[in-house]
Amino acid sequence: MESSRKARGTKTQEEQWMVENDVGQIYSSVSSIPPNAQSVFLEIRRDNHIQYLMHGLNNLGPSFSTLDANRPWICYWILHSIALLGDSLDEELEHSTIEFLSRCQDPDGGYGGGPGQMPHLATTYAAVNSLITLGGPKSLSSINRGKLRAFLLRMKDASGGFRMHDGGEVDVRACYTAISVASVLNILDDELTQNVGDYILSCQTYEGGIAGEPGSEAHGGYTFCGLAAMILINEVHRLDLPCLIDWVVFRQGVEGGFQGRTNKLVDGCYSFWQGGVAVIVQKLHSVICEQLGLSKVLDSECDSESYHDYETSDISDVEECTVETSCPLGGTCHRRKEDIGVDFISNKRAIAPIFSSMHLQQYLLLCSQEGAGFRDKPGKPRDHYHTCYCLSGLSVCQYCSSADADSPPLARDILGPYSNLLEQLHPLYNLVLDRYYEAHDFFSKF
Amino acid sequence: MDVLQKSSERIPLSQRPEYADVKPVAQDDGPNPIVPISYTDEFRETMDYFRAIYVTDERSLRALQLTAEAIKLNAGNYTVWQFRRLVLKALNADMNKELDFVDGIVERNSKNYQIWHHRRWVAENLGTDLSTRELEFTKKILSKDAKHYHAWSHRQWVLQALGGWKDELAYCELLLKDDIFNNSAWNQRYFVVTRSPLLGGLGAMRESEVTCTVNAIMEHPENESPWRYLRGLYRNDTQALVKDPQVASVCLKILTAKNNYVHALSMLLDLLCHGFQASLEIRNAVYGLSDSGAQGSDLVKVVCSILELVDPMRANYWKWRRNMAPAQAAQCLKDDGLTGLSL
């Protein structure tokens, strides 16, 4: 028995072949349908998803007890999904949400997983993002920023990283959730960012991706966290970006979706964690050139007009640019921390996508999308977490080929009907862009 | 006193004399909570009693018992775990028994941050040599799931904090023998080779590691793990990678075999971008893969064009590499003081 098993394949190979088989069956059954009828399968079942999400907002069964310390997360997964689908809550529900999250807010700062629970960085991130997604002065002013900053400082660890909660674990997630919240609320300063870059840098592995802790395996979730945090503290140039990029592009498999780690299985949620990294990297071209020691930025790479003519760009169009003028994200510039989020999204100088957007959309729409809600892969059950990150991944795909944030995507960049178009998000925070702008304006006033 | 042996046997807290003076505290969900969970009576009662103890900061034996019950209902409640740690300290509790406690619940909850963090805390507090026990513990988890992220992190922490490096490289080799595609085992191998105080460090280990890795590559050229590991062995020393004949040799062998050669081409591309001068054999092997008359033109361009065709998922990436490469190679020549020489 043992030898025949080995003759077939290792555990990794067998599991992979099974998924490829499941996914392959779905793709071949859809492609055997006449093209006109195919579009039904490629439609985002908007109403069904919203119904599923709204139901979760109002009522969760007893099996959710294992998420009793994560309720702001459930809130964010649902609210963000609804916002991406272009919908919103009625006033009553908005009010209830603000009320509930206020009860999760600790008097000494930060938000816990439920009323009366200790504040925790992840639930703080989820609560803040939920409130920003709701928008409006009532929602935004309910956040006690002064106390929150004090909480963040208490969570700083000697290693440079952050602890998730008092007496809690230190890892790259904690760094990201703390930095993201501080950045979006305009309370980020040197005291908070000190040594964070050192810690995150020590978590970049030999593979190029970023691990949860120094020494651990490169992983999509942590890579997103590490990269986004480094950008927000203006130290992204310290990461080995060419190595990171090479690692992340190889995380997209034959199925079209992304895997979290080398030789592991595809999962819809990595559409955001990894897909998001791929999209973020498009805006880091000048930093990368700097790292490769190239003083000449290839003009054809940055020219937004030639964006869609990427395939035909001519190498001989090299133009001399100095690092200062061409790199809004380079380490040599001294930009104010409160501008980084806005500058990032408004930076028009970007390269064309380095991943396959259409293949990822195909995986999401045909393999992750259920009747209502989204799932990891065929055979797995749907949940709110996957619904959130699959939709986030879809949005990232839809907008990745647009040269700037103001021009809407072309129909050819959207898989399925154009009505599939979701709201655009800010990849560093994973917030719907309009809501991010509103929060940025609100919190820059004081 | 474990009153949770069977849920049908559970005695409600309200009926237990040892909790008679405790006034349960209801959750302050407010009048119209969102994402409300329909708790079972057992869950609600346990958490109401926990809240009472927590609010008064009672660090007693019955408090300890209560945290155990709350954890069994929701192992993700970090507030309960943190409070349990305070109680354990206050009672000067037997930390070995605490390890037994974690052993008991880890099977159902192994993908839970709180359990692993608690385990680490207990091990830190024990101060005695726990290395063997903890390595056995993680080994058991890994025998069921050889890529378990928390288990690997814990294992690495144990090695660094408590030692036990002696058999670790052998353990990696065992796992790789069983599944050469297990990237977690490759990652652990890198960890051991670079950090074990018993080995000589990367410099001393590199040559033998390269040989091992090349063998793994030859077995399955489509396996990404050993290719990344190989690059990793030359981290911060790219010129040594470029100059290692074993590296060029394995690329040549695979390109010549014309099977599963994406990673070989990708490696060759990296080498070329760092100033590698390809031999005639390698050039011919590459041209042999391209059906267009690409001979004589820039090898980097040919490699990228082939990759765009045989690795279409990354076509956009290879295009970008193709555009970036000439400037990179030119920079390499500059760095080597070879300006003026044509590519």
Side-chain angles (χ1 to χ4, degrees):
Chain A
M1 271 303 114
E2 202 36 64
S3 54
S4 65
R5 247 179 65 220
K6 284 214 189 298
R8 290 205 322 261
T10 69
K11 187 167 182 210
T12 298
Q13 286 179 303
E14 303 244 341
E15 287 186 359
Q16 175 62 24
W17 292 335
M18 274 179 42
V19 172
E20 282 181 26
N21 188 49
D22 289 345
V23 168
Q25 269 182 34
I26 292 173
Y27 289 158
S28 55
S29 64
V30 172
S31 59
S32 64
I33 297 168
N36 297 342
Q38 274 181 24
S39 65
V40 170
F41 287 88
L42 294 173
E43 251 176 59
I44 293 179
R45 299 187 254 284
R46 204 175 285 261
D47 293 341
N48 291 359
H49 298 317
I50 290 177
Q51 194 176 54
Y52 165 65
L53 293 161
M54 292 302 295
H55 183 82
L57 207 53
N58 289 304
N59 183 25
L60 297 167
S63 64
F64 280 86
S65 297
T66 49
L67 286 176
D68 188 42
N70 300 82
R71 287 168 69 195
W73 269 121
I74 307 175
C75 198
Y76 166 68
W77 296 331
I78 292 174
L79 254 44
H80 181 58
S81 298
I82 290 172
L84 284 171
L85 290 165
D87 213 320
S88 58
L89 303 188
D90 65 39
E91 223 178 291
E92 206 185 311
L93 260 177
E94 265 190 32
H95 176 82
S96 299
T97 305
I98 298 169
E99 274 300 303
F100 172 72
L101 290 174
S102 297
R103 286 166 198 272
C104 296
Q105 187 166 208
D106 188 89
D108 292 324
Y111 292 77
Q117 296 180 31
M118 267 170 56
H120 187 294
L121 278 178
T123 46
T124 298
Y125 168 85
V128 167
N129 272 15
S130 294
L131 290 164
I132 291 176
T133 302
L134 277 181
K138 197 164 117 202
S139 177
L140 301 175
S141 58
S142 72
I143 305 170
N144 187 331
R145 287 192 304 158
K147 294 280 186 184
L148 206 155
R149 191 176 167 275
F151 166 63
L152 295 179
L153 278 171
R154 285 199 299 277
M155 294 305 103
K156 258 193 97 68
D157 182 73
S159 63
F162 283 82
R163 246 164 286 117
M164 277 301 212
H165 59 84
D166 183 27
E169 68 272 21
V170 176
D171 65 26
V172 164
R173 267 183 323 156
C175 295
Y176 168 69
T177 48
I179 298 294
S180 173
V181 156
S183 169
V184 83
L185 296 179
N186 193 20
I187 53 174
L188 189 61
D189 59 23
D190 293 338
E191 209 182 341
L192 278 170
T193 63
Q194 214 173 49
N195 300 329
V196 179
D198 294 341
Y199 180 79
I200 296 173
L201 194 58
S202 74
C203 293
Q204 183 170 25
T205 83
Y206 69 89
E207 287 195 83
I210 299 173
E213 293 177 84
S216 294
E217 202 181 347
H219 180 292
Y222 296 119
T223 302
F224 170 82
C225 287
L227 181 65
M230 287 298 257
I231 292 173
L232 291 173
I233 64 172
N234 207 15
E235 293 184 37
V236 73
H237 57 281
R238 298 177 66 192
L239 289 169
D240 182 345
L241 291 172
C243 204
L244 194 153
I245 293 168
D246 194 81
W247 176 83
V248 78
V249 297
F250 271 92
R251 305 289 53 81
Q252 186 169 23
V254 292
E255 308 92 340
F258 276 94
Q259 65 190 181
R261 302 180 249 169
T262 306
N263 283 334
K264 286 212 80 182
L265 301 174
V266 67
D267 180 338
C269 72
Y270 292 113
S271 311
F272 178 75
W273 303 123
Q274 305 280 39
V277 165
V279 143
I280 287 169
V281 148
Q282 287 173 239
K283 302 242 185 181
L284 301 181
H285 184 66
S286 23
V287 182
I288 297 161
C289 287
E290 216 182 307
Q291 285 188 348
L292 295 172
L294 309 176
S295 57
K296 298 178 187 194
V297 175
L298 301 170
D299 190 47
S300 54
E301 297 303 314
C302 302
D303 186 350
S304 53
E305 278 184 83
S306 72
Y307 216 78
H308 271 95
D309 299 333
Y310 178 68
E311 301 91 321
T312 60
S313 60
D314 190 345
I315 283 304
S316 60
D317 289 343
V318 167
E319 195 189 280
E320 188 118 24
C321 317
T322 63
V323 166
E324 265 80 42
T325 55
S326 68
C327 77
L329 292 168
T332 47
C333 307
H334 300 285
R335 285 159 41 254
R336 297 185 310 164
K337 289 190 166 66
E338 69 226 43
D339 295 332
I340 294 181
V342 165
D343 288 351
F344 181 87
I345 202 77
S346 55
N347 175 22
K348 287 181 181 13
R349 305 187 73 99
I351 56 171
I354 50 168
F355 71 110
S356 293
S357 168
M358 296 311 268
H359 282 113
L360 181 55
Q361 292 183 57
Q362 184 177 61
Y363 179 80
L364 287 166
L365 294 172
L366 296 178
C367 300
S368 281
Q369 186 178 211
E370 285 208 358
F374 287 76
R375 64 194 173 196
D376 162 353
K377 58 171 70 64
K380 292 280 171 84
R382 68 178 179 188
D383 58 44
H384 303 107
Y385 164 81
H386 281 93
T387 303
C388 172
Y389 289 102
C390 285
L391 283 168
S392 301
L394 258 170
S395 171
V396 146
C397 285
Q398 292 177 345
Y399 288 87
C400 69
S401 300
S402 302
D404 68 71
D406 297 327
S407 51
L410 301 179
R412 75 181 209 196
D413 295 328
I414 312 292
L415 186 62
Y418 198 76
S419 55
N420 273 2
L421 188 64
L422 299 171
E423 294 301 308
Q424 190 175 7
L425 56 80
H426 192 311
L428 296 180
Y429 309 100
N430 199 10
L431 287 166
V432 166
L433 202 51
D434 289 341
R435 313 297 160 89
Y436 165 72
Y437 283 136
E438 188 193 345
H440 181 263
D441 286 343
F442 187 87
F443 294 118
S444 62
K445 288 194 177 90
F446 48 97
Chain B
M1 51 168 178
D2 185 359
V3 294
L4 285 179
Q5 274 168 335
K6 278 189 203 158
S7 44
S8 56
E9 283 180 12
R10 178 182 178 268
I11 303 166
L13 286 151
S14 56
Q15 289 169 27
R16 294 186 226 169
E18 61 272 24
Y19 294 97
D21 62 299
V22 176
K23 281 195 70 185
V25 175
Q27 182 164 265
D28 182 23
D29 246 8
N32 299 303
I34 52 146
V35 294
I37 298 170
S38 314
Y39 306 114
T40 60
D41 291 336
E42 182 184 340
F43 189 96
R44 187 188 310 276
E45 191 197 36
T46 307
M47 291 314 295
D48 286 351
Y49 273 78
F50 170 76
R51 263 182 288 272
I53 297 286
Y54 180 65
V55 152
T56 58
D57 198 13
E58 182 189 313
R59 303 187 192 184
S60 64
L61 212 57
R62 70 179 182 179
L64 190 68
Q65 171 60 25
L66 206 40
T67 60
E69 294 186 33
I71 281 165
K72 283 179 188 165
L73 291 169
N74 175 20
N77 196 319
Y78 57 91
T79 302
V80 175
W81 279 108
Q82 180 59 14
F83 186 68
R84 185 176 175 88
R85 286 188 277 275
L86 295 176
V87 175
L88 287 167
K89 276 265 133 174
L91 296 178
N92 206 16
D94 181 349
M95 292 294 178
N96 275 294
K97 285 223 179 86
E98 192 61 11
L99 282 181
D100 295 336
F101 172 71
V102 176
D103 278 347
I105 53 169
V106 87
E107 210 162 334
R108 286 181 61 207
N109 295 291
S110 76
K111 301 258 162 112
N112 166 301
Y113 283 98
Q114 287 70 38
I115 287 192
W116 291 96
H117 176 65
H118 190 73
R119 183 105 193 170
R120 210 182 277 201
W121 180 86
V122 173
E124 266 171 343
N125 270 273
L126 259 168
T128 54
D129 193 319
L130 265 186
S131 167
T132 312
R133 178 174 181 166
E134 291 309 281
L135 290 177
E136 270 311 303
F137 176 72
T138 53
K139 196 177 205 175
K140 198 161 157 234
I141 307 274
L142 291 170
S143 68
K144 297 195 193 111
D145 177 0
K147 303 183 185 184
H148 195 293
Y149 203 86
H150 295 293
W152 279 117
S153 296
H154 186 70
R155 197 172 173 90
Q156 289 191 347
W157 175 82
V158 170
L159 288 166
Q160 295 205 277
L162 309 174
W165 296 90
K166 191 167 62 74
D167 301 317
E168 197 61 14
L169 188 58
Y171 180 57
C172 292
E173 291 181 327
L174 197 66
L175 289 173
L176 288 172
K177 191 153 169 253
D178 189 59
D179 185 353
I180 194 78
F181 294 84
N182 183 347
N183 196 67
S184 308
W186 283 103
N187 184 75
Q188 185 71 354
R189 194 183 180 115
Y190 194 84
F191 180 80
V192 175
V193 159
T194 52
R195 298 188 196 218
S196 169
L198 304 176
L199 304 169
L202 186 52
M205 298 287 293
R206 188 192 279 164
E207 207 180 317
S208 56
E209 285 299 295
V210 169
T211 306
C212 263
T213 310
V214 162
N215 290 340
I217 287 173
M218 290 305 297
E219 235 180 84
H220 287 281
E222 77 279 21
N223 183 3
E224 189 181 333
S225 295
W227 288 101
R228 295 230 171 255
Y229 187 79
L230 188 57
R231 283 185 186 82
L233 291 172
Y234 286 102
R235 204 178 186 188
N236 301 322
D237 196 0
T238 334
Q239 283 314 303
L241 176 75
V242 169
K243 293 190 180 103
D244 187 341
Q246 282 198 80
V247 176
S249 162
V250 72
C251 287
L252 176 59
K253 284 194 182 110
I254 291 160
L255 294 173
T256 310
K258 298 194 181 190
N259 194 25
N260 289 322
Y261 52 81
V262 168
H263 294 303
L265 277 177
S266 174
M267 175 65 89
L268 179 60
L269 179 61
D270 288 345
L271 296 173
L272 292 170
C273 288
H274 285 104
F276 177 67
Q277 301 298 310
S279 65
L280 190 61
E281 281 176 297
I282 287 183
R283 283 182 172 271
N284 287 336
V286 171
Y287 296 144
L289 296 172
S290 154
D291 49 28
S292 64
Q295 311 215 11
S297 62
D298 182 354
L299 190 63
V300 163
K301 275 210 160 110
V302 178
V303 168
C304 288
S305 304
I306 299 170
L307 281 166
E308 282 171 52
L309 287 174
V310 301
D311 189 23
M313 195 58 73
R314 272 160 286 283
N316 291 335
Y317 174 65
W318 300 124
K319 285 191 185 83
W320 179 69
R321 290 293 303 270
R322 176 158 49 94
N323 290 339
M324 292 290 284
Q328 260 186 290
Q331 189 62 32
C332 264
L333 290 178
K334 256 173 66 184
D335 291 341
D336 288 347
L338 295 170
T339 2
L341 288 180
S342 56
L343 273 173

